[in-house]
Structure formats: C-alpha cells, structure tokens
Amino acid sequence: MALLQISEPGQTTAPHQRNYAAGIDLGTTNSLVAVNRSGKTDTLPDSEGRHLLPSVVHYAENGKILVGHAAQQKQASDPLNTISSVKRIMGRGIEDLKSLSNRLPYEFDGNSDTHVPRIHTRQGNVSAIEVSAEILKNLAHRAEQSLGEPLSGVVITVPAYFDDAQRQATRDAARLADLNVYRLLNEPTAAAVAYGLDQNPDGLIAIYDLGGGTFDISLLHLNKGVFEVLATGGDSALGGDDMDHAIAEWLIGQAGIGEVDALLFRQLMTAARQAKEALTDADSTRIELTLGEQDFSVEMDRATFNGLIDDLIKKTLMSCRRALRDAKIDKDEIDNVVMVGGSTRVPRVQQKVGEFFGCEPLTDLDPDRVVAIGAAIQADVLAGNKPDSDMLLLDVLPLSLCIETMGGLSEKIIARNTPIPVARAQEFTTFKDGQTAMAIHVVQGERELVSDCRSLAHFELRGIPPMAAGAARIKVTYQVDADGLLSVTAEEVHSGVKSDIVIKPSYGLTDQEIETMLRDSMSHAKEDIEARMLAEQQVEARRVIEALDSALAQDGHELLTDEEYANIQKVRNELEKQIDVANSEQLKKAIKAVEAASEGYVEKRMNASVRQVLSGKNIDQVDV
Amino acid sequence: MAIELTPVAADRVKNFLQNRGKGIGLRIGIKTTGCSGMAYVLEFVDEVNDEDAVFESEGVKVVVDPKSLVYLDGTRVDFAKEGLNEGFQFINPNAKDECGCGESFTV
C-alpha cells in the first residue's frame, strides 16, 4: 500500500510520475540528506533516529565498505583504512596535498599515472571521489527508504569557494553513486534559501558558519533572484573543538592536573563538550571528573565559559570584518545574518554576532540541518513539484575564469560573480609567422599571474592555416552551465577550424576512469568477493609453487625417491595449470593437494636441516 | 456521505498546514489515470469551489469534488509509517482492486 504525500493545489501527478528529489549536504565532518514531504522540508533520520551521518568511510577486511557511525567506530583501531574529512582533498592534485598531508594520516599512492591522488586501503587504492560516492550512496539509500520511491534527482551543496575542479569532483562522485545531479548549490546560498530569503526582492545576507573544526563567513548579495557571492572568508582550523579545548585547559588549571595522558585528555574533552552543550540552556553546570583515586567536581557558570571563548569569537569576527572590507560594504548594510553549524548554538556566539552586525541573527532552524534543508527546497523546485510561480534560483560563478596569454599572464574571460549559466567569447591571435597551432591553458582565479591561479585544463587548437603573425583570429568561448561547470571551445574565424577536444579539469577523472569505476560498482558484490578470493588464492598458489621449486632444486633428489619426487612434481604441475583457469574453490583444493603430497618431504627437510645445525656441535653450543 | 480522517492523520494535516503558512484544508479526490484506472488526489486547499462538498473531520476541513465523492464515500484516510517511509493511506470501501503499489485502484 503506497503512502501518499500532500501536493500543492493542482500539482497532483499520475501514479509513479511524481519526481522525488533530495538535498544533500556533503560535509567535511558530517553529511545530511533532506526531502520535502507534504510541503514540509526536513532532514531524514536513519533507522536509529540519527540525522547526521559522519562523513567517514571504512574499508573492512571482509571486503565490505562501512559508512557513517559504523565506520567512525573503526577510526581509532584501523586509521589507515578509515577515511574521514575526504572533502578536504576533493578535486585536489598530488601537489596540493603536500600542504595538507601533515594533517591527513593516509598513505597516498605517489606513482599513479593520473593526476588524481589515491589513498592506499586494504581494498586497493581509492580516490576522494570514490570515498565521497560511498557517502552519497548511503544518504540516497536513506532518502529512497524514506520516500518509498527511487530519487529522480538531487541537489548537492558545495562551499562557495570551491573551484571548478572541486565542483567537477563532487559531480563525478554523484555520478559514481548513480545519482542524477540537478544542480550543485553553494552552501551559504542553500542556508539563505532554507530561511526563504530568496523570496525577498533583494538584500545583503551574511552567512556565519561555525562548525566543529572550520569557520566560514560568506557575504551574499541577492538581486532579482540571483545570489552573488560578494566575499568569502574564514579559518579552516577554528571551530567548536577549540571551545572544548579551552574548557579542558581551564579544567586542568582548576583541578591542578600536572601530567595529561591520552586517556585523561579524552575524558577532559568529553566533559568539556558536555559542559558546553549544557550551558546552551543552563546558566551553570557541574563538571565531574574521575582523576585516578579521587573524584573532582567543579561548577562552571556561563560567564566563565563566555570568558574562555571570547577570544575565539573575536577571531571569527575579524574574519567577518575582512570579508566586509573585501566586499566593500559596511556591516550596517547587512539585512540578514544566517547562523549555520552546530557551534552557533552557543548563546554567546549568537549574542556577539548580533552585536557585530547590529541585527538579530536567524536561528530558528537547526543550524546543523539548514544547508541540507535549503538544498532540498531547491531540489523540489528543480524536480518540477512546485508551481511555476516559485522562481528558480540562480547562482553565480565563484571565481573568475581566465586564459593564459604570453608571458604567463592570466586574462579574465568571465569575471567572478557573473550569474550562470553564461557564455563569453574573446578573440586572440597568433604570435609567430606561419604558426599553425595554439596551446590554450584554462585557469581559474583572481590573480594576475597564471602561476598563482588554479590550472583547470590544457588543450590545443591545431590546423590553423599558416598566416602572418597577428593575422589569424582565434575565438575562444567559455561556457558555464547551471552547475558552474565549464566547457571551452576555440575556433579560427577565417578558416572555421575548431578544436573539438572536450575539456576536463586537470584534477578530474577521465571519462574512461569513470566508466571503469561505474562498471566496477555495478557488478555484483558477490562477484567482487569471489574475484577477491580468487586473486588471493592465485597469489597463494604462486607462492607455494615458488617455495616448492626452490626446495626441490636444493635437495629434492637428495631426500626423495624418484617415485616420491615424480609424485610431488605431478601435483605441482596440476596446480600450475589450474592457476589461470580454476575458480577459488578449485584452486584452494589444488593447493591443499600440493601441501598434502609434500608433507613427508617437508618433514624430511626439517629433520635434515636440524641435523645440519647440530652436526659437529656440542649440546651447550646450541641455542635452544 | 462522508469522508473521515483518523486522529493521527488529522494531526499531521494540521501540522503540514501550519508549516505551509497558508491553506484552509485538505482536498481529497480521484483522477482517472494510473495502472488500475483511478488514482487518489491529496492536495492542500487554498480555494473551495462552489460545487465542492466540505466535511469537517477531527478538526480538519476536508474538501471533495462531487464526482470524486461517488467513489470515495466512506473512505478513511490514515497516516502510517513503514520503516523510514511515512505518508497517508486510503482505506476505501469502494475500491475493488488495487494495483500493487496502492496508488491507483478500480471500483
């Protein structure tokens, strides 16, 4: 029996024709999925009632992949096969990772032939895209379970400062998870949509996003349904965890603790977090600690807590001030401040942010869920479940798209904050007489030198008719679709020679790689396990044969009768024949047969080697 | 002739209406479509048409057009959960046969 949802007047669709859409907040620490049901948009809990899915993926020994809480539990015991914070390396190249690597505990595959860095796990090397795809699959499954229908499409949020390569990587992850992406939406824009601010004709909006480990400030300008990102700023290592740290330090001082080991530190941090959360509603809270033999207990009031975190809040407000300066706007001009991220629940944060911007911040929606909710609202509109009167939200290009010109300079083709979709063309010419080809280097960024911008793609226009320098007219067109993704074409105007190379960001995956991964992911898990077992048995078979061969060469004829020797040789050859044709079960049997046949030989060898060690020695010269 | 909401369903409808911020009730109807001939309509009501029949059930205004009412008389609308999935369910004494999914039916 189908479970039906209430539609908008006149929007009821034929059975099975309704488009089910979800919004996904693919976060660094946690991810969420939200859907619209009966006109109400909210995040979905899992079967245990938890809305947040930790963005952690564990590659288990049995070939299974765990996602979320189950994966998080493995983090301490098996850190190398448990991937977290993968968003930090999405769309990044090997070079980019050098600056991040001291914070990432994984082993990267240095000699991969593509530009995509891969992390070593026991299930093989995985890219950030594949790890993200696992998280997306998990959330999509949750949404489909909750809706009782397959998803027709999703909106996934990305940080406003994500460049084209990072957006492309996010899109690739969705493709790998077999999801249709309606659109990628900037996180601050999604937060503004969740509060319905896109329904206003215009306005200046500040999105204050204080999470567990990161702080982001985004200033948006809404103008006739278009959100422009005026400025972004923040601190990638500042958040609620720092508040816990401050409380823990205070506790160390109060309790007069000298030495802090790992166990005590964890106890302190847990107590600190509980105190912080308690002080959201209460004016004071009691903290109890077990320190060795004795118990320690102390009362913490909100004033003390506020004193500990004021410096931290001040740092975030300095970032806000810088962003305002970048955007060339005065803080009094801000119409709305939207609070995002769990740490904005702290009353002191709300108070200080309110004082700074001179207006009451919006806090009605759960700050952890607000981005996913905004994404789901957009997804529902894009799926066609809303009347046409609900305007479609437009986004802008986050960073300028440029082309490299002579001397390593970057020339802007499409400036940042241009509403998308957009296409812009510019003409260039040849540099040398008779030049028949031109290399085109697509970069993204605001800086003047190409070396300071981000390289997105290289391609060549060939077949330009030989002409005097400066005579050829090469028209380069940049086109950005609604997702902020770029395609570039180059054409020589006189001859009509056109480059038909499809541009891919330098750090994206090739089509072939994606196809291969898609095929891999579609084949059944059972076959995967069989393939894995077979591979293991093949390795084992080769090892057995090699060991046996070297032993036989050493002392086979010495220790064995001709008949015994021939018998072992026979089963060995049988195993060798099987390696490439048998299944894992057959191979296992063949290996067993070799082991059984050579049992007596192994015994003889051991006795022989023991005799050799002992010969000519007194008993007290032998290490026992 | 009547159509009823269960108390659970009525609570949900009130909640959804409040969340939507506008709307005066719940429209229930049928459309001739779907794999078994007819399908249910479940919509928010902003305007009542002259010919509509209006019932009050558990404090919710239920609006039905006269053509649909023939097929829906005596129907109870419930709100149910199945695992993570949740939504409204029609218990219709007029329905003889439902398609496997329950989104459409014949009379």
Side-chain angles (χ1 to χ4, degrees):
Chain A
M1 183 72 194
L3 299 174
L4 305 174
Q5 309 297 330
I6 310 174
S7 304
E8 285 295 303
Q11 298 290 311
T12 300
T13 51
H16 316 297
Q17 294 303 303
R18 195 183 152 82
N19 289 322
Y20 290 92
I24 296 179
D25 174 2
L26 187 60
T28 308
T29 319
N30 290 300
S31 297
L32 291 112
V33 61
V35 298
N36 181 305
R37 285 190 287 188
S38 296
K40 187 174 184 173
T41 308
D42 206 352
T43 52
L44 297 171
D46 64 7
S47 53
E48 289 175 49
R50 301 172 296 205
H51 287 252
L52 293 173
L53 177 79
S55 304
V56 184
V57 176
H58 174 69
Y59 292 88
E61 235 160 312
N62 58 5
K64 279 194 181 151
I65 298 173
L66 302 177
V67 181
H69 294 93
Q72 205 171 32
Q73 283 168 7
K74 304 280 180 187
Q75 204 150 31
S77 60
D78 192 4
L80 290 181
N81 293 298
T82 309
I83 319 293
S84 61
S85 299
V86 75
K87 192 174 175 179
R88 291 189 197 274
I89 55 173
M90 281 292 271
R92 299 303 188 95
I94 305 258
E95 287 302 309
D96 300 317
L97 289 183
K98 291 195 176 137
S99 60
L100 287 167
S101 57
N102 49 358
R103 278 197 267 152
L104 299 166
Y106 315 117
E107 292 171 10
F108 287 97
D109 182 15
N111 33 357
S112 92
D113 38 352
T114 67
H115 293 284
V116 182
R118 291 175 195 277
I119 303 165
H120 278 302
T121 75
R122 66 162 66 84
Q123 291 186 28
N125 292 338
V126 295
S127 68
I129 294 170
E130 289 162 88
V131 177
S132 295
E134 293 302 331
I135 299 167
L136 290 174
K137 270 188 227 168
N138 187 294
L139 291 172
H141 181 71
R142 187 191 292 181
E144 289 179 349
Q145 290 283 304
S146 303
L147 291 167
E149 294 281 340
L151 287 174
S152 53
V154 294
V155 167
I156 302 175
T157 58
V158 292
Y161 53 78
F162 254 29
D163 63 30
D164 202 63
Q166 291 166 300
R167 283 163 202 263
Q168 180 70 51
T170 306
R171 208 158 216 273
D172 288 344
R175 202 171 145 197
L176 207 52
D178 208 14
L179 291 174
N180 171 31
V181 180
Y182 287 135
R183 182 168 294 186
L184 300 179
L185 188 65
N186 283 333
E187 286 162 10
T189 308
V193 169
Y195 276 102
L197 298 178
D198 55 324
Q199 302 302 315
N200 297 341
D202 50 45
L204 286 169
I205 304 157
I207 313 289
Y208 182 99
D209 181 351
L210 188 61
T214 57
F215 169 66
D216 290 303
I217 176 76
S218 310
L219 300 175
L220 306 181
H221 179 218
L222 173 67
N223 185 21
K224 298 189 191 91
V226 177
F227 275 101
E228 276 180 51
V229 181
L230 295 180
T232 61
D235 192 331
S236 59
L238 179 68
D241 299 345
D242 298 285
M243 296 186 187
D244 301 346
H245 253 282
I247 299 174
E249 292 289 331
W250 180 80
L251 284 173
I252 290 169
Q254 291 291 309
I257 301 167
E259 203 87 349
V260 179
D261 61 14
L263 196 70
L264 177 59
F265 182 71
R266 215 173 310 150
Q267 195 198 344
L268 282 166
M269 286 296 276
T270 307
R273 198 180 59 243
Q274 283 164 353
K276 175 184 73 178
E277 287 170 5
L279 286 170
T280 297
D281 296 316
D283 286 330
S284 107
T285 184
R286 180 149 287 277
I287 304 171
E288 320 236 338
L289 293 170
T290 314
L291 302 169
E293 294 298 292
Q294 72 201 65
D295 290 345
F296 173 76
S297 164
V298 65
E299 190 77 16
M300 181 179 222
D301 62 11
R302 203 185 265 177
T304 311
F305 173 57
N306 290 352
L308 293 173
I309 60 168
D310 269 354
D311 270 355
L312 199 141
I313 300 173
K314 205 182 277 172
K315 267 194 208 167
T316 69
L317 295 178
M318 269 157 61
S319 290
C320 294
R321 196 167 284 134
R322 265 196 301 276
L324 285 163
R325 205 163 48 225
D326 287 351
K328 297 189 182 67
I329 51 175
D330 198 75
K331 59 185 182 183
D332 303 333
E333 294 175 65
I334 298 287
D335 300 307
N336 288 106
V337 180
V338 178
M339 299 298 249
V340 182
S343 303
T344 61
R345 288 198 185 90
V346 174
R348 184 67 160 186
V349 173
Q350 298 180 0
Q351 180 203 338
K352 286 285 179 186
V353 171
E355 283 170 15
F356 179 82
F357 286 104
C359 67
E360 191 73 18
L362 295 167
T363 55
D364 297 342
L365 296 174
D366 183 329
D368 282 325
R369 305 187 197 173
V370 61
V371 169
I373 289 172
I377 292 172
Q378 267 299 290
D380 208 40
V381 175
L382 290 165
N385 295 330
K386 286 279 173 75
D388 293 339
S389 60
D390 280 18
M391 194 166 35
L392 208 61
L393 177 80
L394 289 174
D395 231 324
V396 295
L397 199 65
L399 295 164
S400 299
L401 288 166
C402 322
I403 191 164
E404 177 173 352
T405 57
M406 286 302 295
L409 295 174
S410 85
E411 181 158 337
K412 289 189 176 66
I413 305 251
I414 309 178
R416 66 186 279 251
N417 281 331
T418 305
I420 50 178
V422 65
R424 293 273 159 85
Q426 201 156 325
E427 280 192 10
F428 294 90
T429 189
T430 46
F431 182 71
K432 276 188 174 167
D433 287 341
Q435 185 178 338
T436 58
M438 189 183 232
I440 290 162
H441 184 197
V442 184
V443 297
Q444 187 168 31
E446 307 309 313
R447 307 278 293 272
E448 294 304 317
L449 289 175
V450 164
S451 53
D452 294 328
C453 293
R454 176 167 199 77
S455 168
L456 291 179
H458 285 275
F459 74 111
E460 272 180 21
L461 176 66
R462 292 177 176 280
I464 304 170
M467 280 183 260
R473 286 171 57 203
I474 290 140
K475 190 172 158 192
V476 178
T477 310
Y478 278 32
Q479 194 173 344
V480 183
D481 69 12
D483 299 316
L485 297 178
L486 168 73
S487 58
V488 178
T489 53
E491 183 182 11
E492 203 287 306
V493 178
H494 297 298
S495 58
V497 174
K498 212 171 177 177
S499 80
D500 51 358
I501 301 162
V502 179
I503 292 252
K504 278 276 166 190
S506 311
Y507 299 120
L509 296 168
T510 64
D511 267 342
Q512 173 119 46
E513 281 176 306
I514 290 177
E515 288 306 322
T516 312
M517 284 183 206
L518 277 176
R519 265 204 308 278
D520 290 349
S521 71
M522 276 185 278
S523 64
H524 301 293
K526 208 173 159 189
E527 287 164 17
D528 282 354
I529 290 172
E530 165 62 21
R532 190 190 162 76
M533 273 163 34
L534 178 60
E536 283 171 358
Q537 293 300 331
Q538 284 171 337
V539 171
E540 177 65 10
R542 293 206 172 89
R543 190 193 64 77
V544 167
I545 289 172
E546 199 163 52
L548 187 60
D549 283 353
S550 85
L552 286 174
Q554 217 182 337
D555 53 21
H557 289 289
E558 242 180 291
L559 297 175
L560 296 169
T561 64
D562 285 352
E563 197 189 331
E564 283 169 336
Y565 191 94
N567 190 32
I568 290 176
Q569 201 56 262
K570 198 179 130 217
V571 285
R572 174 224 173 268
N573 291 345
E574 186 55 34
L575 175 61
E576 192 171 36
K577 256 193 278 171
Q578 297 255 335
I579 285 182
D580 290 320
V581 291
N583 66 27
S584 66
E585 226 16 72
Q586 293 165 328
L587 212 48
K588 208 171 177 175
K589 271 192 200 136
I591 293 169
K592 281 260 156 65
V594 173
E595 279 168 356
S598 47
E599 217 170 56
Y601 173 45
V602 171
E603 215 164 279
K604 280 181 188 169
R605 290 198 85 215
M606 262 165 68
N607 291 340
S609 70
V610 168
R611 268 200 305 280
Q612 205 178 351
V613 168
L614 296 181
S615 68
K617 287 182 184 169
N618 290 327
I619 190 76
D620 54 7
Q621 282 179 295
V622 180
D623 290 327
V624 181
Chain B
M1 303 259 266
I3 290 177
E4 276 182 2
L5 300 184
T6 64
V8 182
D11 265 4
R12 283 304 177 130
V13 174
K14 284 182 216 163
N15 183 307
F16 288 135
L17 277 169
Q18 195 186 3
N19 172 71
R20 187 168 173 264
K22 60 173 183 181
I24 52 173
L26 182 70
R27 177 177 294 281
I28 297 176
I30 57 122
K31 294 213 284 195
T32 48
T33 173
C35 34
S36 301
M38 295 190 198
Y40 295 110
V41 168
L42 200 59
E43 292 176 357
F44 294 111
V45 182
D46 288 327
E47 272 174 56
V48 177
N49 301 321
D50 288 344
E51 68 274 17
D52 283 339
V54 181
F55 306 93
E56 185 88 12
S57 178
E58 299 286 335
V60 173
K61 202 172 265 186
V62 178
V63 179
V64 190
D65 67 279
K67 262 162 111 186
S68 296
L69 191 54
V70 180
Y71 301 106
L72 289 174
D73 188 32
T75 295
R76 275 166 67 83
V77 178
D78 195 10
F79 190 85
K81 287 189 183 209
E82 285 171 8
L84 289 175
N85 190 4
E86 57 181 39
F88 294 92
Q89 215 171 15
F90 282 74
I91 303 150
N92 184 355
N94 305 299
K96 290 209 179 69
D97 214 358
E98 280 179 348
C99 81
C101 62
E103 271 198 61
S104 56
F105 65 99
T106 52
V107 290

